[in-house]
Amino acid sequence: MMELWCAPLPDKPPAPESLELPADLLERKRSDRHSRHTHASLAGYALLRKALQSHNAGWSLRRLRLTTWGKPYLPNGPCFSLSHSGGYVMCALGRDELGLDTELVRPRPLRLPEAIFSPAERHYVDAAADPLAAFYWLWTRKEAVAKADGRGFSSLFPDEKPGRSRVELAGNVWFLHRVRVETGYETHIASGRANEPILLRRTCLD
Amino acid sequence: METLIEQLKVQIVEQLNLVDVNPAEIGTDEPLFGEGLGLDSIDGLELTVLLNQQYGIKVSNPASIREAFASVRTLAEFVQKNAPAEVAA
């Protein structure tokens, strides 16, 4: 079973020092000067810490490491993926590798580069009754797979069969799970198992 | 190159609607994604659109521009190398 933790973005970002982050990650957070995502990123780590503490397994953010692609992981701990958008931060937690993406569905130009969107995907968005919703539905699926894969933006790819629940990428098979977390948000988790139950845990960080 | 770098900073702020970022404050060598400017993948989508609209560069796949998206300087180098001559001039 996977867990999906969800919390409203707190009014104030948690102090980086309060999160018990490892020294290198703490230094990165301290040196952010105008990162738009610093507030939400710190809240994401606070949510992860809360999720880890709920298991009473001695897991600590102090042991966080980054892969060469910059994906954080916890050696000998559970797999996790963080995402934030609009007024929420979320954290997916599971035994096996996974990727989470949530997006607030907000108006945006629907420009779909060929490098990332196949003709079939572009047709899917163009022909949809609600093209904006269709875009975010497709995008969060792509991003969830890219985050599970661990290479982020580099592993986004045009899919000739938009909407399938099983995706192969770099020798791995990912199954997509849509989660209705909040009205106005589109959320997907990619994991290695089909039909994996997801336990939704709502909490606050204030 | 310096003119292109400054131009890209302005275009990035405009294309991504970074309302609280002054282009002059963006470090030429600071990371664009994650820490640094703090862009995410959906911003990367917009940057590929920017490259096409402003410089006529058609990105073949996201992996090919990973290194170009490291900083404004690497992005400028990528534009110089890949933009059609009449656009880059």
Side-chain angles (χ1 to χ4, degrees):
Chain A
M1 177 185 290
M2 292 184 285
E3 293 178 9
L4 177 58
W5 289 70
C6 172
L9 195 62
D11 292 337
K12 291 182 180 175
E17 294 77 9
S18 71
L19 296 175
E20 301 179 322
L21 293 169
D24 54 346
L25 205 52
L26 181 61
E27 191 51 43
R28 284 186 184 214
K29 294 296 166 196
R30 279 181 177 148
S31 63
D32 283 355
R33 289 180 297 109
H34 51 228
S35 170
R36 285 188 303 154
H37 300 295
T38 301
H39 180 164
S41 168
L42 290 171
Y45 283 118
L47 183 60
L48 171 62
R49 187 174 67 157
K50 197 164 191 174
L52 294 174
Q53 285 174 341
S54 76
H55 288 267
N56 288 320
W59 295 322
S60 162
L61 297 193
R62 279 188 205 285
R63 295 168 60 198
L64 277 178
R65 298 288 179 270
L66 296 176
T67 66
T68 53
W69 291 86
K71 180 180 181 178
Y73 69 101
L74 205 54
N76 302 317
C79 296
F80 68 89
S81 182
L82 304 173
S83 184
H84 61 83
S85 184
Y88 287 92
V89 288
M90 298 185 198
C91 170
L93 203 66
R95 191 180 296 178
D96 303 310
E97 205 57 75
L98 44 77
L100 162 71
D101 190 45
T102 189
E103 298 287 348
L104 170 64
V105 177
R106 54 189 146 197
R108 55 169 290 115
L110 292 176
R111 298 176 288 216
L112 311 179
E114 291 172 20
I116 300 172
F117 293 89
S118 68
E121 288 175 312
R122 298 199 295 189
H123 175 74
Y124 174 82
V125 172
D126 289 344
D130 185 345
L132 194 65
F135 165 79
Y136 279 105
W137 185 80
L138 271 183
W139 177 261
T140 51
R141 295 167 64 89
K142 283 178 179 293
E143 180 70 349
V145 171
K147 290 174 79 171
D149 172 77
R151 291 173 295 155
F153 187 76
S154 295
S155 53
L156 292 173
F157 69 99
D159 193 341
E160 295 302 330
K161 295 179 181 173
R164 56 184 167 174
S165 59
R166 180 183 185 278
V167 175
E168 287 187 39
L169 179 63
N172 292 311
V173 174
W174 301 106
F175 294 91
L176 284 150
H177 312 269
R178 187 187 194 197
V179 193
R180 297 277 196 171
V181 185
E182 290 293 336
T183 304
Y185 286 77
E186 186 64 72
T187 306
H188 275 96
I189 298 175
S191 78
R193 299 175 193 217
N195 304 316
E196 189 170 359
I198 299 170
L199 177 62
L200 181 58
R201 312 260 324 242
R202 295 180 189 277
T203 188
C204 289
L205 296 171
D206 288 317
Chain B
M1 175 65 98
E2 289 308 311
T3 305
L4 177 58
I5 284 172
E6 298 313 312
Q7 183 176 295
L8 277 168
K9 289 178 183 177
V10 172
Q11 289 169 338
I12 288 169
V13 168
E14 288 176 353
Q15 184 92 13
L16 306 185
N17 195 26
L18 305 177
V19 290
D20 56 348
V21 175
N22 178 345
E25 288 181 1
I26 300 176
T28 302
D29 294 301
E30 78 175 330
L32 290 175
F33 288 82
E35 282 73 25
L37 192 56
L39 304 186
D40 58 18
S41 288
I42 210 160
D43 295 321
L45 171 67
E46 284 302 315
L47 281 185
T48 62
V49 172
L50 185 157
L51 289 174
N52 184 243
Q53 286 183 334
Q54 301 289 338
Y55 299 101
I57 299 173
K58 219 170 180 179
V59 175
S60 56
N61 68 75
S64 71
I65 47 172
R66 177 176 178 255
E67 290 180 6
F69 281 0
S71 67
V72 176
R73 186 184 305 283
T74 56
L75 193 59
E77 289 167 352
F78 181 81
V79 168
Q80 270 202 333
K81 190 175 173 187
N82 293 281
E86 68 274 17
V87 179

